[in-house]
Amino acid sequence: MQRKKIISKTVIILCCIMLAAFFIFPILLLFINSFKSLKEIYMSVLQLPETMNLDNYISAFKELDYLNAIKNSLIVTCTVTAANVICCSMAAWVLVRYKTKTSKLIFTIFSVAVLVPFQCVMLPLLAEMGKLNMINMPGLMLVNLGFGSSMSIILFHGFMKNVPVELEEAAAIDGASQPRIFFTIVLPLIKGIAVTVAILNVMSLWNDYLLPSLTINRSGTQTLPLRTYLFFGAYTKKWNLGSAALVMAIIPVIIFYVLCQKHIIKGVTEGAVKG
Amino acid sequence: MRKSKKIFWLFLAPCLITFCIAVVIPTLTGIYYSFTDWDGLHANCDFVFLNNYISAVRDIYFQNAFVFTFKFVIITVIAVNVVAFAAAMLVTQNIKGNNLFRSIFFMPNLVGGVLVGFAWQFIFCDVFDSIGEILGINWLCDWLSTKSTGFWGLVILVVWQMSGYMMLIYIAQIQNIPENLLESARIDGASSFQCFWKIKLPLMMPAFTIGLFLTLTNCFKLYDQNLTLTGGGPAKATEMLTMDICNTAFSRNMYGMAQAKGIIFLIVVALITVSQLMFTKSKEVEM
């Protein structure tokens, strides 16, 4: 019995290691090759680099306009995430607390909208944004807020249904206004789900490519995925620079993951299960 | 509690306005434009009834993309969920380092589609080539240059990226299964195979509902990875529906037809995901 257990544990661990290798090896290979010259890569992609040469990183750093791209991505991601969490929690709160037909209808529209794929609204949206002169960063952020609102409202709505109303009623009897009730009583109670919504927003906004590629036309305001795409347009097959650029583009994500891994894993699970 | 209408609309306003600008108005105008000879810019256009839909359905690129997307979705949804489920079973077995494995399996999910596409382009083109050369395996060479290698490349990429996410959902569900239920089954003499088949699997159904829904929608909507891995090549053979819609509008300048394709896409995706939700929901058991 004991022996059987040890064997089965070893098999499980071996399976895990094999699976882990599958998940790690692309990034590992990119990392290894990012230190090589193009000639070295052509000779063999699998060998370790002869020297730790940082030249690729220096050129890729310049060509990617790295700091600027990160700054732009950060601006879009942070602004939209903050706005999304505040606006959607407000909206979800009134949608839960006002049990009218209008409120039910509005919530249904928000829920159904999750199914609408971007490609379906993309063309009229672009025409409309062009007409309203809402291109580049402000337009991008506004549209992102609108797009993200369905999912966030569904999540907040699901959570707030279970927040007891008595506390709010007591505060109302004490004479607190509704905005005050929301910001001082409700908001602290929903901190957990707010973190979840924020994490989900950050993940999708940071990696978004199509919408920024269609709305941002001023150079210098491109986000990181956009810059990476343009970079590869100019340097196809130059994998020495390409791998360095990719490693640099992945670094912020890794930092984010290491810093808030617990929240991310909880957020992703909760977001999926409740949504 | 005193509830004023003013507060209701005031609190709703920021979301509602941006949501209308981003989703509601474009959807409605989009439906209208799909019946016209719209040029993508001007609102004044003539009504052409179903012409856009007819030419969209007849369009050879659309047909190819349709078939390609369906094949891709079917195979990928199965593969992602099988890998995710297996990974979830592995890391919930109380082994050393299961948290580390969990983190590793999930990590690719955070990396954006554009980056993942380029990274795997490097793996398929350069790394596969050199491994193939060293070991003398022919089928490892020249990946992404044919339709089938492009297809399988995309499948592998998406399995790599999406499995971790689904794994988390399955883990959450596995941990929800009450231990005493399994305990009493074991006392009644159930084998571990029976425990898995008769207790764990039925109780996992809610997770399958979510997992299938998410993989289905994500696979249908896939664009970035398709664009950066193969770019639809060779010769548009690996174009998915999303990319075909973009190309119809931006490189072929047929906005009316592209919009009609968009509406068809919406209807197909909505029908499939809603029927999937209804089907798997009906299989869920009450505890």
Side-chain angles (χ1 to χ4, degrees):
Chain A
M1 193 66 195
Q2 197 59 36
R3 222 176 121 191
K4 212 174 146 195
K5 231 178 185 172
I6 291 173
I7 290 172
S8 76
K9 279 229 160 138
T10 330
V11 170
I12 289 168
I13 290 185
L14 276 178
C15 289
C16 278
I17 290 173
M18 266 156 58
L19 210 55
F22 169 64
F23 282 102
I24 285 182
F25 93 97
I27 292 180
L28 194 67
L29 276 172
L30 277 180
F31 185 70
I32 291 171
N33 283 291
S34 64
F35 296 104
K36 296 183 192 169
S37 67
L38 196 56
K39 215 172 122 200
E40 263 183 280
I41 292 181
Y42 280 140
M43 301 253 284
S44 166
V45 273
L46 300 173
Q47 254 161 24
L48 288 172
E50 282 163 14
T51 51
M52 288 291 269
N53 198 337
L54 287 174
D55 285 355
N56 294 333
Y57 280 95
I58 294 166
S59 337
F61 186 88
K62 273 190 209 136
E63 284 303 318
L64 267 181
D65 197 4
Y66 188 63
L67 291 181
N68 204 11
I70 292 231
K71 189 192 83 193
N72 294 329
S73 272
L74 273 178
I75 291 175
V76 174
T77 308
C78 295
T79 321
V80 178
T81 303
N84 184 294
V85 168
I86 302 270
C87 296
C88 292
S89 58
M90 279 162 55
W93 184 59
V94 288
L95 287 176
V96 169
R97 289 294 180 243
Y98 287 68
K99 292 186 174 68
T100 59
K101 269 193 190 134
T102 337
S103 110
K104 261 190 204 131
L105 177 72
I106 292 174
F107 180 64
T108 315
I109 295 173
F110 273 117
S111 322
V112 171
V114 182
L115 286 175
V116 177
F118 179 70
Q119 267 76 8
C120 175
V121 294
M122 169 180 76
L123 303 171
L125 179 66
L126 282 182
E128 178 192 299
M129 286 170 78
K131 222 177 286 161
L132 298 172
N133 211 3
M134 283 195 327
I135 42 167
N136 286 324
M137 293 282 251
L140 174 65
M141 291 198 260
L142 208 69
V143 171
N144 264 330
L145 182 60
F147 257 107
S149 59
S150 310
M151 194 62 209
S152 306
I153 285 183
I154 294 175
L155 287 171
F156 278 124
H157 196 276
F159 188 84
M160 278 187 206
K161 270 190 299 197
N162 303 323
V163 172
V165 71
E166 283 77 14
L167 223 60
E168 294 161 38
E169 277 168 351
I173 290 166
D174 289 344
S177 66
Q178 273 186 296
R180 193 158 160 215
I181 292 175
F182 177 77
F183 285 106
T184 55
I185 296 174
V186 179
L187 217 47
L189 283 176
I190 57 166
K191 231 189 266 160
I193 193 80
V195 172
T196 296
V197 170
I199 295 269
L200 293 176
N201 265 293
V202 168
M203 279 168 56
S204 69
L205 288 166
W206 182 267
N207 293 325
D208 193 18
Y209 165 75
L210 187 53
L211 184 60
S213 80
L214 296 173
T215 49
I216 287 185
N217 58 16
R218 196 183 300 150
S219 69
T221 59
Q222 284 113 339
T223 57
L224 192 56
L226 208 50
R227 274 296 341 168
T228 318
Y229 187 77
L230 294 175
F231 178 89
F232 274 88
Y235 295 92
T236 7
K237 298 285 161 194
K238 289 199 177 159
W239 282 111
N240 56 335
L241 296 179
S243 52
L246 283 176
V247 170
M248 284 204 305
I250 293 173
I251 286 173
V253 177
I254 306 265
I255 294 173
F256 173 61
Y257 190 40
V258 170
L259 287 181
C260 8
Q261 197 194 9
K262 251 194 195 142
H263 291 295
I264 294 173
I265 288 187
K266 185 181 146 270
V268 166
T269 323
E270 223 170 54
V273 174
K274 299 225 164 90
Chain B
M1 193 171 13
R2 201 182 57 87
K3 289 172 176 172
S4 73
K5 272 231 162 87
K6 213 173 76 192
I7 295 285
F8 178 75
W9 291 110
L10 200 69
F11 269 47
L12 210 51
C15 273
L16 206 56
I17 292 169
T18 50
F19 176 71
C20 282
I21 293 174
V23 183
V24 179
I25 297 173
T27 310
L28 297 179
T29 50
I31 293 172
Y32 166 72
Y33 284 141
S34 71
F35 293 104
T36 66
D37 61 349
W38 187 45
D39 65 354
L41 281 171
H42 306 93
N44 49 333
C45 33
D46 293 322
F47 211 62
V48 295
F49 299 102
L50 287 171
N51 279 0
N52 285 326
Y53 287 90
I54 294 167
S55 47
V57 173
R58 284 196 186 144
D59 185 36
I60 183 81
Y61 295 125
F62 191 60
Q63 292 168 0
N64 287 342
F66 213 89
V67 174
F68 186 84
T69 307
F70 264 84
K71 266 203 241 162
F72 169 78
V73 169
I74 292 169
I75 292 180
T76 313
V77 166
I78 295 171
V80 166
N81 284 291
V82 167
V83 172
F85 188 74
M89 291 312 270
L90 285 174
V91 295
T92 46
Q93 298 286 335
N94 249 334
I95 48 159
K96 251 189 206 147
N98 54 10
N99 274 326
L100 178 71
F101 285 123
R102 203 175 297 190
S103 317
I104 291 173
F105 297 164
F106 178 68
M107 183 208 43
N109 207 274
L110 290 165
V111 183
V114 172
L115 307 180
V116 171
F118 285 128
W120 276 93
Q121 200 187 328
F122 174 64
I123 302 295
F124 286 133
C125 294
D126 291 51
V127 178
F128 270 39
D129 251 11
S130 61
I131 295 176
E133 248 168 56
I134 292 167
L135 301 177
I137 307 171
N138 262 334
W139 60 265
L140 275 177
C141 299
D142 283 331
W143 266 58
L144 306 183
S145 63
T146 60
K147 184 176 179 177
S148 66
T149 50
F151 175 83
W152 288 106
L154 206 56
V155 171
I156 293 172
L157 179 154
V158 174
V159 170
W160 182 78
Q161 195 182 19
M162 248 181 238
S163 300
Y165 192 124
M166 301 307 140
M167 174 197 72
L168 290 185
I169 297 168
Y170 290 133
I171 290 175
Q173 194 67 32
I174 290 173
Q175 286 168 342
N176 257 345
I177 296 173
E179 194 51 42
N180 55 7
L181 214 67
L182 295 169
E183 195 81 6
S184 53
R186 269 185 221 116
I187 292 167
D188 288 346
S191 67
S192 53
F193 181 75
Q194 277 173 321
C195 274
F196 174 78
W197 207 248
K198 301 271 180 188
I199 297 174
K200 277 190 184 169
L201 219 49
L203 287 176
M204 290 287 289
M205 276 321 276
F208 284 120
T209 305
I210 303 161
L212 282 178
F213 175 76
L214 286 175
T215 33
L216 267 177
T217 46
N218 286 338
C219 286
F220 268 116
K221 290 178 185 171
L222 200 77
Y223 175 79
D224 299 355
Q225 290 87 333
N226 192 198
L227 178 72
T228 52
L229 186 72
T230 64
K236 289 176 177 286
T238 58
E239 254 182 23
M240 306 232 317
L241 282 171
T242 48
M243 191 187 272
D244 180 51
I245 294 170
C246 288
N247 286 344
T248 312
F250 302 129
S251 45
R252 291 163 72 192
N253 275 319
M254 297 161 125
Y255 280 80
M257 183 161 94
Q259 190 53 40
K261 287 179 179 179
I263 302 289
I264 297 175
F265 182 54
L266 164 69
I267 294 170
V268 169
V269 174
L271 276 180
I272 291 177
T273 46
V274 169
S275 43
Q276 176 263 319
L277 280 180
M278 274 156 52
F279 176 73
T280 42
K281 271 248 156 78
S282 71
K283 298 268 176 203
E284 285 177 18
V285 288
E286 286 287 324
M287 238 180 353

